[in-house]
């Protein structure tokens, strides 16, 4: 199937699941890491506007290639090292993986003055996996408080990559914890509107549990090269 057909199929799935759970605010982030600009172009032509990238250098080349498309929205969704913060601050619209105040402070300092504040999601290590980035749930509010004081960042919500589970009921355990954290964050801060969780295998459970943004790669672009 073509990228256009894949996108259409995923949008139909999102609409069906959203209708089932009376949700009307779920966005699709197309994860375009390792994919060539031709594949992204095909997705753009099919109406996709938001793209997620994991590797800074590769992403910047793509963002610059599509510089004449200001309506596109670029999300950094990989772990970020201190020496790469300037590139993210300069080129991206969103970062979904902030898990240290030091990184947030560097992004704030390095955000160009002629750009809107950088949209930020705090990454939560909700399944407590050693191999995953993200903060512990009880660290969320102090980090959110600190980020909310940085003028060139705009705190928008939370992101998580729960441990893979094959059964929906097992998937929902971590996803429900994220929903509760998101509700707590919304109660304490203005402008919190984004809960980024759910990929191809747990999209339905994530939407049921309040996700407002699902991150889909392979089902749109095909298997990684």
């Amino acid at each position: 199937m073509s990228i256009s057909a894949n996108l259409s199929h995923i949008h139909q799935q999102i609409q069906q699941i959203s209708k089932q759970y009376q949700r009307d605010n779920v966005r699709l982030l197309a994860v375009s890491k390792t994919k060539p600009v031709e594949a992204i172009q095909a997705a753009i032509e099919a109406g996709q506007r938001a793209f997620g990238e994991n590797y800074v250098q590769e992403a910047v080349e793509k963002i610059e290639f599509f510089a004449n498309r200001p309506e596109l929205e670029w999300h950094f969704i990989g772990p970020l090292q201190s020496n790469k913060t300037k590139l993210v601050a300069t080129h991206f619209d969103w970062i979904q993986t902030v898990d240290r105040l030091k990184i947030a402070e560097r992004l704030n300092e390095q955000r160009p003055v002629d750009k809107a504040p950088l949209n930020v999601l705090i990454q939560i290590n909700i399944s407590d996996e050693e191999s995953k980035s993200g903060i512990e749930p009880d660290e969320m509010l102090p980090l959110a408080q600190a980020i909310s004081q940085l003028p060139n960042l705009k705190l928008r919500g939370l992101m998580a990559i729960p441990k893979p589970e094959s059964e929906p009921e097992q998937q929902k355990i971590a996803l429900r914890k994220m929903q509760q954290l998101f509700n707590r964050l919304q109660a304490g801060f203005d402008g919190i509107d984004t809960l980024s969780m759910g990929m191809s295998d747990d999209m339905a459970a994530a939407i049921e549990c309040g996700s407002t943004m699902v991150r889909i790669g392979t089902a749109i672009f095909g298997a990684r090269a």
Side-chain angles (χ1 to χ4, degrees), residues 2-17:
S2 68
I3 287 170
S4 175
N6 290 344
L7 276 166
S8 178
H9 178 64
I10 292 161
H11 278 297
Q12 284 173 349
Q13 284 184 301
I14 291 172
Q15 283 172 349
Q16 285 169 352
I17 300 163

Side-chain angles (χ1 to χ4, degrees), residues 46-225:
Q48 182 64 27
R49 294 292 176 266
F51 294 91
E53 291 282 338
N54 282 53
Y55 308 112
V56 177
Q57 217 74 43
E58 174 200 329
V60 168
E61 289 174 15
K62 294 175 185 176
I63 293 168
E64 289 178 338
F65 182 87
F66 291 107
N68 63 335
R69 302 297 297 260
E71 77 278 17
L72 299 183
E73 195 177 276
W74 296 94
H75 294 237
F76 188 73
I77 58 172
L80 182 59
Q81 298 161 317
S82 297
N83 63 346
K84 299 280 177 67
T85 53
K86 187 167 187 181
L87 287 170
V88 171
T90 303
H91 293 279
F92 281 83
D93 305 296
W94 288 68
I95 176 168
Q96 299 203 8
T97 51
V98 170
D99 61 359
R100 305 195 297 291
L101 181 56
K102 178 187 171 188
I103 292 287
E105 288 172 338
R106 287 177 67 91
L107 291 166
N108 178 65
E109 287 164 16
Q110 295 166 336
R111 184 67 170 172
V113 291
D114 61 339
K115 291 202 163 197
L118 180 66
N119 295 294
V120 168
L121 301 183
I122 294 172
Q123 183 174 359
I124 307 286
N125 186 353
I126 199 63
S127 302
D128 197 25
E129 293 177 274
E130 283 186 20
S131 61
K132 294 249 176 85
S133 303
I135 60 168
E136 299 295 316
D138 61 5
E139 298 174 298
M140 176 187 75
L141 290 177
L143 182 57
Q145 184 62 44
I147 290 171
S148 72
Q149 304 301 310
L150 299 173
N152 301 319
L153 304 184
K154 186 175 183 184
L155 182 63
R156 297 288 294 269
L158 302 176
M159 178 267 218
I161 309 170
K163 191 169 74 172
E165 300 282 1
S166 54
E167 293 300 317
E169 289 310 312
Q170 288 298 115
Q171 292 170 350
K172 287 179 207 171
I173 294 170
L175 296 167
R176 289 263 183 243
K177 288 180 190 170
M178 283 301 301
Q179 186 175 30
Q180 290 164 2
L181 288 171
F182 183 65
N183 291 342
R184 202 180 306 165
L185 192 66
Q186 277 191 315
F189 297 88
D190 293 334
I192 304 299
D193 58 8
T194 304
L195 178 55
S196 172
M197 61 183 192
M199 296 185 276
S200 298
D201 292 338
D202 61 351
M203 182 172 79
I207 293 172
E208 181 185 345
C209 295
S211 173
T212 70
M213 184 178 289
V214 292
R215 307 182 305 269
I216 308 292
T218 305
I220 297 171
F221 297 109
R224 252 186 257 186

